[in-house]
Amino acid sequence: MTQIAVTVNGTRREADVEPRTLLVYFLREQLGLTGTNVGCDTSSCGACTVHLDGESVKSCTLLAVQADGREVMTIEALAEADGTLHPLQDAFHRHHGLQCGYCTPGMLMAAASYLKENPTPTEAEVRESLEGNLCRCTGYQNIVESILDAAGQMSGAKS
Amino acid sequence: MATEAHEDQAEIRGIGHSVKRKEDARFIRGKGNYIDDIHLPGMLYMAILRSPFAHAKLNGIDASRAQAVPGVVAVVTGELMAQHNLAWMPTMSGDTQAVLVTDKVRFQGQEVAAVIAEDPYVAKDAVELIDVDYDALDVVVSPQQALASDAPVIRDEKDGQTDNHIYHWESGDADATDRAFADADRVVSLDTFYPRSHPAPLETCGCIADVDGATGQATIYMTSQAPHAIRTVFALVAGLPEENIRIVSPDLGGGFGNKVPVYPGYVVATAASLLLGRPVKWIEDRSENLISTGFARDFHMHGELALKNDGTMLGLRTSLLADEGAFHADAQPSKFKVGLFHVVTGSYDMSAAHVVADGYYTNKAPGGVAYRCSFRVTEASYLIERLVQNAAYELGMDPADLRKKNFIRKDQFPYETPTGFVYDSGDYHGAMDLALEKIGYAELREEQERKRAEGKLWGIGLASFTEAVGAGPHKDYDILGLKMNDGAELRIHPTGKGILKISSKTQGQGHETTFAQIVAEEIGIQPEDIKVQHGDTDNTPYGLGTYASRSTPTVGAATAMVSRRVIEKARKIAAHLLEVAEEDVEFTRPTFSVRGAPDKAVTIQDVAFAAYTNFPDGMESGLEAAYYYDPPNLTFPFGTYAVAVEVDRETGVWQVTRMVAVDDCGVRINPMIVEGQIHGGLTEGYGIAAMEQITFDETGNCIGSNFIDYLLPTAVETPRFELGETVTPSPHHPIGAKGVGESATVGSPAAYVNAVIDALWPLGVRNIDMPLTSAKVWEAIEAAKAPA
């Protein structure tokens, strides 16, 4: 067992983990943060996307020990503490950007990270940015519209 | 109690409203409750050892090294299961399937043994330490190999099974079809293979079995699209009293047919929980999902279309070989061995058709399911739509014109097809005209001429599908004898809110929203005030579940009918409140008023309160009802899809430049959700046409066991869709709806492929079997270039 200390959703969490424990299982099984899903085991689908030090990563491809001393944010912390939805969450709801919901946490986290890099993307850029996140239900069209809408809301709010 | 009727009452958001989904609130916050999110106290974890061989005799299993791993609680083998008479189980099609192998393995990935441990990682470690002694046997990987006289017999454990043949099935009239062909000027034929694909929902399958040794109560959380049918099958398999079995299907991360069958893992986990007295969780990994659970298609098709020189279609002949894998677990209605393939005459009026099908065992995974389609209507639609395009070119006609010439006309409905379906309603010309207009068909054809002159490969493909969904009427449709009828229960609470309990199970289709809208439409209580309960067999009425686009045709109908039953009683209470005779009460939701005195009125909410507080003498209190719906017929959604593609001559890469989809699914309950379903279907149809295939090498190794080999469309290559609609209500469905979940997967593969074939037609290319990978397209171009 290895001791790690990870700041998860703003709270410092200390834990003993097996060195081989994947970050996603640390989050799900040890911390009970089951919003992050596992879809493929081969880092193809992106259902497990979380933020590590502010950047999106696939938590099935990282070991928990690699997060030692770093900050992780999961879908559970995307909305404000008072429950106010992130503009992306609100846009996914309004544009029917989700169906079964299984890819949704990963999609939202990937998109939130991407919009920080590129706050005013084109449709093609949004599609490109989602290449690592698979959805079997929506055909992506409404996801793309949700992200473009949220980008507009967020950049509009800033300006 | 009577109140003034309000003229400014909020509009009831019933049918036709794009109500935002109730389901979203939990999913966008990461608060979904999928199978792997459920954690029970004292829970153990199961991992399955699978066969590396496709066909091999099992000599013995030595689990001693695995047993010795700290944290391992038990190793379950076929021998142990056999002691409890659970080594084999029935399949959805009445065959048997090994739960854990006892004699020989019959496909790569078959379940050989299971480890139950305190920790999931330990269970997987221990699986690696089980030693199995196999003798490899000769392997059969296609129905063509399976039917050879010297082929090894895969199911030699079955009494009287001396070869690999499972069934022979026919539909239509052979003699009439022969006569139609004798009258033909021209016969156009096509041999094509609809490859094995996999529904691959983003969440894999899994379960948690929790058997209480003291009470005998078995609660099984399971990724199931059909929890009630599964409960009955479990009662039959395990001999457990059915009242002691509770199947809870939690939030499902997609299904697409993959979560219909019973899988060995469910049975082993339940047996292990029974033996160990603790809950046992089993979650497939992605590779297990792709190599061992319900695949789709794997269908070799030969079709012949008989025509007059003027394009009049006379008849259709097809012969089919189905690769069913090692156990016949194809979830089809009992009577129909290749499902509803006999809808193959599609949207066309012709006098005769004949379908001949044979199914074979092979050393491949079992569990044939209809990946987002109603019982092989996808294969049927693909074959006829490919044939029609090829026929048009051979006759020198435009494919749109040939279709329009032969479409069943609007005034011919109800229309009986030569294989015995009675299509309920349709306007095929209307849907096609709209699709052609939206894509600018005439201009596109002109542009194609110009591009061709420049040496470019440009193609336009059409598909005008007709589906047969909503199984179905009890006289024809059952699975394992269970009639395909479905139920709904509606209870209105004193405060005017309610709960609807349904037998279907949403996997993303939005039942919690849509079905509440049906209630709203019927009784006038807003959809947000109606909770929809599904997936828990202890708390929902019986029914066969959600697949084959059947939820709206069956459960949607049951929901409308149960709402009307509630209104029947509500009317009596309203009469009591209004102090008039029941015949004098008019209902215009949400208000009951006195005929001729509309100001004297009560709302449904007033009535609901009175049902518990102020009901007439002699009446039962409460306001609730149940309804089981037996559809009088299937429903027949249809549409026309139009695709434009550009093919790169040098690389074979093809890109969709336009994709127009006009769907007619009858009345649309929630247009936003309907369009979402169509987007999803068009994408899975694109995946099937372009990239999705589970292949096997000659020794039965499964290639396509992960998302690196089994390719799924991403946002980058998925086309942008342009949707259109026509609305032709189903005349026999209570709200005129037909079902839409699968239309686009059924209709679109032929449209994409027709577009690519159209691009390559001048080169002499007549067929490329799906998936149309760039490599295959490039090979076809190169082969066409080569001198004959």
Side-chain angles (χ1 to χ4, degrees):
Chain A
M1 288 288 187
T2 304
Q3 193 175 47
I4 57 171
V6 188
T7 301
V8 180
N9 298 336
T11 305
R12 186 180 151 90
R13 309 293 293 257
E14 290 180 12
D16 290 325
V17 297
E18 274 194 77
R20 63 174 173 169
T21 303
L22 296 170
L23 178 58
V24 66
Y25 291 110
F26 171 67
L27 295 169
R28 289 180 53 84
E29 303 292 329
Q30 284 187 252
L31 303 186
L33 295 169
T34 55
T36 304
N37 294 321
V38 177
C40 70
D41 321 305
T42 50
S43 43
S44 311
C45 81
C48 63
T49 304
V50 299
H51 293 180
L52 183 67
D53 291 339
E55 290 202 10
S56 66
V57 295
K58 292 179 176 176
S59 62
C60 78
T61 317
L62 281 169
L63 298 168
V65 293
Q66 291 176 280
D68 186 27
R70 303 171 76 177
E71 288 196 16
V72 172
M73 184 176 131
T74 69
I75 182 67
E76 284 87 352
L78 189 61
E80 304 282 334
D82 69 358
T84 306
L85 294 176
H86 186 280
L88 277 164
Q89 291 171 306
D90 183 51
F92 270 59
H93 176 56
R94 286 185 290 105
H95 290 275
H96 191 30
L98 66 153
Q99 291 182 25
C100 81
Y102 201 77
C103 76
T104 309
M107 286 284 177
L108 287 166
M109 297 309 282
S113 157
Y114 178 67
L115 289 184
K116 278 188 208 158
E117 285 169 37
N118 183 1
T120 54
T122 63
E123 178 185 339
E125 286 171 340
V126 170
R127 285 181 176 266
E128 199 76 37
S129 80
L130 294 177
E131 195 179 27
N133 290 75
L134 296 175
C135 172
R136 293 292 279 159
C137 297
T138 65
Y140 305 103
Q141 193 150 318
N142 290 348
I143 292 177
V144 172
E145 283 182 17
S146 304
I147 295 171
L148 289 169
D149 180 323
Q153 304 272 345
M154 290 161 74
S155 56
K158 270 179 215 149
S159 60
Chain B
M1 188 73 208
T3 53
E4 296 288 308
H6 297 289
E7 286 182 4
D8 59 346
Q9 270 162 345
E11 188 183 10
I12 301 298
R13 289 178 294 285
I15 290 172
H17 290 257
S18 289
V19 175
K20 302 293 178 262
R21 296 196 329 163
K22 298 180 178 192
E23 290 88 340
D24 294 357
R26 59 185 187 273
F27 294 139
I28 56 176
R29 292 176 173 86
K31 296 292 182 192
N33 189 37
Y34 302 99
I35 189 78
D36 201 19
D37 300 341
I38 299 170
H39 197 275
L40 302 181
M43 191 166 77
L44 298 168
Y45 299 84
M46 185 174 96
I48 294 177
L49 173 69
R50 295 177 181 276
S51 169
F53 294 100
H55 200 192
K57 185 171 175 295
L58 177 75
N59 295 321
I61 298 175
D62 179 356
S64 53
R65 290 195 302 146
Q67 295 271 20
V69 175
V72 169
V73 177
V75 177
V76 183
T77 60
E79 199 181 321
L80 179 66
M81 294 296 280
Q83 288 166 16
H84 297 273
N85 204 23
L86 288 173
W88 291 79
M89 64 178 187
T91 68
M92 289 289 186
S93 44
D95 192 9
T96 50
Q97 177 173 353
V99 175
L100 290 178
V101 65
T102 50
D103 53 348
K104 64 175 185 176
V105 293
R106 293 172 173 82
F107 70 94
Q108 188 192 52
Q110 188 177 340
E111 298 80 0
V112 174
V115 173
I116 320 292
E118 301 281 353
D119 175 283
Y121 278 49
V122 170
K124 292 223 168 190
D125 287 346
V127 155
E128 301 294 319
L129 299 175
I130 298 173
D131 299 303
V132 186
D133 182 11
Y134 299 103
D135 279 335
L137 299 168
D138 288 343
V139 168
V140 170
V141 292
S142 71
Q144 291 83 359
Q145 289 175 357
L147 60 79
S149 58
D150 60 347
V153 178
I154 296 167
R155 296 301 300 279
D156 51 358
E157 92 290 354
K158 292 181 77 170
D159 282 343
Q161 182 80 41
T162 56
D163 58 19
N164 293 314
H165 190 245
I166 309 172
Y167 58 79
H168 174 83
W169 193 79
E170 296 190 20
S171 176
D173 185 329
D175 294 338
T177 306
D178 287 345
R179 289 194 296 275
F181 274 73
D183 288 341
D185 295 326
R186 193 180 282 258
V187 172
V188 176
S189 65
L190 178 68
D191 285 283
T192 186
F193 172 51
Y194 209 123
R196 178 175 282 230
S197 56
H198 195 285
L202 206 53
E203 177 203 41
T204 60
C205 300
C207 72
I208 304 166
D210 182 13
V211 186
D212 185 320
T215 63
Q217 174 71 41
T219 303
I220 306 164
Y221 302 86
M222 184 189 290
T223 50
S224 177
Q225 298 175 223
H228 290 279
I230 297 279
R231 185 187 70 202
T232 302
V233 172
F234 260 61
L236 297 171
V237 174
L240 295 170
E242 196 167 355
E243 80 281 11
N244 277 356
I245 308 172
R246 178 183 174 199
I247 308 288
V248 181
S249 185
D251 284 331
L252 294 182
F256 316 115
N258 186 230
K259 292 169 181 169
V260 173
V262 175
Y263 294 122
Y266 300 156
V267 178
V268 179
T270 304
S273 179
L274 187 64
L275 294 173
L276 299 170
R278 290 171 67 180
V280 174
K281 178 188 265 192
W282 167 64
I283 303 292
E284 279 178 344
D285 65 27
R286 175 55 60 189
S287 187
E288 293 182 283
N289 178 253
L290 288 172
I291 66 175
S292 73
T293 63
F295 70 93
R297 329 292 192 233
D298 217 343
F299 211 48
H300 300 262
M301 303 188 282
H302 172 77
E304 296 176 10
L305 184 60
L307 302 110
K308 301 296 270 185
N309 276 334
D310 70 357
T312 305
M313 294 179 193
L314 303 176
L316 178 66
R317 215 184 248 147
T318 69
S319 56
L320 314 156
L321 285 180
D323 185 335
E324 300 284 1
F327 307 101
H328 184 211
D330 205 351
Q332 309 286 0
S334 308
K335 249 173 124 167
F336 305 108
K337 294 303 174 198
V338 286
L340 305 184
F341 182 87
H342 51 303
V343 75
V344 64
T345 53
S347 305
Y348 308 101
D349 183 14
M350 61 182 88
S351 62
H354 189 227
V355 173
V356 181
D358 288 275
Y360 287 90
Y361 291 120
T362 61
N363 291 117
K364 291 156 76 174
V369 295
Y371 164 12
R372 203 171 189 155
C373 102
S374 177
F375 310 118
R376 294 205 194 269
V377 298
T378 306
E379 290 94 314
S381 178
Y382 181 76
L383 182 62
I384 183 69
E385 289 305 308
R386 291 287 319 282
L387 272 169
V388 167
Q389 172 165 301
N390 284 11
Y393 296 149
E394 298 210 2
L395 291 167
M397 290 178 74
D398 184 282
D401 294 337
L402 179 63
R403 284 181 170 88
K404 284 200 229 179
K405 181 178 175 65
N406 290 282
F407 274 159
I408 299 159
R409 294 187 320 275
K410 203 173 169 178
D411 60 4
Q412 288 176 278
F413 293 92
Y415 174 87
E416 184 167 0
T417 76
T419 56
F421 290 99
V422 179
Y423 290 176
D424 55 349
S425 62
D427 178 6
Y428 301 160
H429 291 89
M432 165 157 288
D433 287 344
L434 181 58
L436 298 183
E437 183 197 319
K438 279 184 83 74
I439 203 163
Y441 186 73
E443 298 78 14
L444 266 185
R445 284 286 180 209
E446 285 167 18
E447 185 161 5
Q448 181 182 35
E449 284 307 308
R450 290 194 296 275
K451 295 283 183 184
R452 277 183 174 164
E454 295 167 16
K456 295 250 168 64
L457 299 177
W458 251 58
I460 303 160
L462 301 173
S464 296
F465 66 93
T466 293
E467 276 191 286
V469 311
H474 78 274
K475 67 178 165 45
D476 284 328
Y477 294 93
D478 70 87
I479 288 182
L480 292 174
L482 301 169
K483 301 299 185 184
M484 299 186 75
N485 289 184
D486 278 73
E489 295 172 11
L490 178 61
R491 178 182 305 156
I492 308 301
H493 305 313
T495 54
K497 322 282 181 182
I499 182 166
L500 174 75
K501 302 180 177 191
I502 53 176
S503 59
S504 61
K505 171 63 207 171
T506 190
Q507 310 130 43
Q509 299 94 333
H511 291 183
E512 293 169 27
T513 307
T514 305
F515 289 87
Q517 287 181 254
I518 297 173
V519 175
E521 179 74 19
E522 294 287 336
I523 75 175
I525 295 177
Q526 294 288 14
E528 59 268 27
D529 293 337
I530 301 290
K531 175 179 175 176
V532 177
Q533 168 98 35
H534 56 94
D536 179 344
T537 58
D538 268 8
N539 291 304
T540 52
Y542 203 86
L544 281 238
T546 294
Y547 44 87
S549 292
R550 62 188 302 282
S551 295
T552 294
T554 62
V555 184
T559 299
M561 297 309 284
V562 77
S563 301
R564 292 174 194 178
R565 272 200 179 151
V566 162
I567 289 299
E568 277 174 38
K569 180 168 184 187
R571 186 187 298 276
K572 294 186 199 318
I573 298 170
H576 167 69
L577 295 176
L578 295 166
E579 299 174 327
V580 294
E582 194 187 329
E583 307 79 64
D584 292 328
V585 174
E586 283 182 330
F587 179 57
T588 308
R589 40 139 243 221
T591 306
F592 297 87
S593 59
V594 176
R595 197 180 304 278
D599 288 350
K600 208 181 167 201
V602 290
T603 65
I604 182 70
Q605 286 83 5
D606 299 329
V607 168
F609 194 67
Y612 300 87
T613 60
N614 177 22
F615 45 91
D617 289 343
M619 180 187 278
E620 286 178 60
S621 64
L623 188 56
E624 64 180 89
Y627 197 100
Y628 281 84
Y629 188 74
D630 183 12
N633 188 6
L634 302 180
T635 58
F636 297 87
F638 60 92
T640 290
Y641 296 159
V643 173
V645 300
E646 197 168 350
V647 184
D648 185 313
R649 191 186 288 271
E650 306 305 322
T651 63
V653 171
W654 56 281
Q655 270 191 323
V656 175
T657 53
R658 297 283 303 281
M659 194 329 161
V660 167
V662 173
D663 274 274
D664 191 323
C665 57
V667 170
R668 295 183 174 205
I669 302 162
N670 182 319
M672 174 192 81
I673 287 178
V674 167
E675 292 188 0
Q677 291 294 303
I678 294 167
H679 285 168
L682 293 173
T683 305
E684 291 188 333
Y686 173 71
I688 289 162
M691 63 189 80
E692 293 181 25
Q693 184 176 19
I694 303 276
T695 54
F696 294 82
D697 71 12
E698 68 280 3
T699 61
N701 285 313
C702 177
I703 299 156
S705 62
N706 55 60
F707 284 164
I708 295 160
D709 293 324
Y710 186 69
L711 298 177
L712 302 175
T714 74
V716 175
E717 61 276 358
T718 298
R720 181 159 183 64
F721 308 117
E722 303 164 58
L723 306 188
E725 68 176 290
T726 59
V727 176
T728 309
S730 170
H732 64 77
H733 187 279
I735 56 171
K738 288 188 169 185
V740 73
E742 297 157 337
S743 296
T745 334
V746 170
S748 69
Y752 298 114
V753 174
N754 277 343
V756 175
I757 299 294
D758 181 62
L760 305 183
W761 191 269
L763 306 181
V765 176
R766 298 294 175 263
N767 180 49
I768 305 172
D769 283 338
M770 295 187 293
L772 270 58
T773 60
S774 50
K776 280 161 79 174
V777 173
W778 180 82
E779 280 167 15
I781 295 169
E782 291 299 302
K785 276 188 204 162

